[in-house]
Amino acid sequence: MPTPQEIQDVFSPFYKAEAKIWERFAEKVIIRTFNKNETIKDYAEIEKYLNIIVTGSVGLFVWNGHKDVCINLIYEKSFMSDYLSFLNQQPSGIKAQALEDCMIWSVSHPDLHDLYSLNEKGLRIGKAISEILFLRKQQEQIDLLTLSPKERYLKLINRRPEIFQRTPLKIIASYLGLTAESLSRLRRRISKP
């Protein structure tokens, strides 16, 4: 079980609360591990957990009728869930897959709602989670619509310089809306002096 301080560290940029709230949150956490390429949540399943990645990385994918398309790459100390499915407790067509061996802290849907019902501070945790996930997704959508592939690539590499050592090229390309060949050409052009 994570310590209350470890939980608080994940939330600290967005929400600060008294130690008792983090103790209650930590009590609800279960630790789950997944091997590289293992499916964490499949397309037709309902998301049962809100997750925090402790180690490793996860990709969220949709099926476009021909192949998996990566819609999100998530790394350590980040929330990871099919949040649409988690909120409405219906399948959403999103698959979560471990891109590396992962350890994940998970809180079930009922347990999270128990935390929310404790008091106003419990509700603020839910608000913080929603805000964190919304901000990340909104920025990704803005980037996809306003930045060129080169700009998206440079932003990604600045944010996660180790990404090419940790994530397969075809998944990074899918996330950026490129083919693997186009991404390879782009990388070669950028790396030339």
Side-chain angles (χ1 to χ4, degrees):
M1 179 169 67
T3 68
Q5 183 61 51
E6 289 172 319
I7 299 287
Q8 184 177 356
D9 289 346
V10 172
F11 279 90
S12 65
F14 300 93
Y15 179 66
K16 306 220 185 307
E18 59 201 37
K20 190 171 189 172
I21 292 289
W22 304 123
E23 288 169 14
R24 294 242 175 124
F25 193 98
E27 289 169 4
K28 303 285 187 183
V29 170
I30 61 170
I31 297 173
R32 301 190 302 154
T33 58
F34 297 90
N35 295 321
K36 181 178 180 177
N37 297 323
E38 187 174 352
T39 298
I40 297 168
K41 185 230 162 245
D42 216 340
Y43 297 112
E45 293 177 355
I46 295 170
E47 179 65 79
K48 296 176 184 147
Y49 300 100
L50 179 72
N51 307 290
I52 299 170
I53 301 173
V54 180
T55 60
S57 60
V58 173
L60 297 183
F61 299 89
V62 294
W63 181 255
N64 75 355
H66 307 289
K67 63 180 180 177
D68 281 331
V69 176
C70 183
I71 60 169
N72 213 331
L73 294 172
I74 310 164
Y75 297 86
E76 294 87 2
K77 294 194 178 179
S78 296
F79 286 96
M80 182 283 298
S81 284
D82 174 353
Y83 199 55
L84 175 62
S85 176
F86 183 79
L87 288 176
N88 67 24
Q89 288 297 280
Q90 298 290 321
S92 69
I94 294 174
K95 175 177 82 170
Q97 182 176 331
L99 301 178
E100 301 173 288
D101 291 346
C102 292
M103 180 171 52
I104 296 173
W105 297 336
S106 300
V107 178
S108 73
H109 189 268
D111 282 346
L112 195 59
H113 280 275
D114 285 347
L115 285 169
Y116 294 168
S117 68
L118 290 175
N119 57 32
E120 184 182 320
K121 290 180 180 162
L123 276 174
R124 286 190 191 153
I125 288 176
K127 183 178 182 292
I129 292 166
S130 292
E131 288 174 355
I132 291 165
L133 293 169
F134 173 79
L135 289 170
R136 182 178 69 205
K137 196 66 198 159
Q138 190 75 9
Q139 189 59 58
E140 288 170 353
Q141 287 179 323
I142 290 168
D143 290 350
L144 186 62
L145 295 171
T146 62
L147 298 178
S148 69
K150 179 181 178 180
E151 291 167 325
R152 289 194 313 271
Y153 166 79
L154 290 172
K155 186 171 184 176
L156 182 62
I157 207 78
N158 285 333
R159 196 175 66 223
R160 297 229 63 99
E162 78 287 3
I163 192 168
F164 287 98
Q165 287 76 45
R166 297 181 62 185
T167 308
L169 184 67
K170 68 179 185 176
I171 293 175
I172 297 168
S174 175
Y175 176 69
L176 292 171
L178 300 168
T179 64
E181 296 78 18
S182 296
L183 180 55
S184 291
R185 284 193 299 272
L186 176 64
R187 291 180 70 199
R188 279 195 302 272
R189 280 196 309 267
I190 289 173
S191 66
K192 286 183 181 176

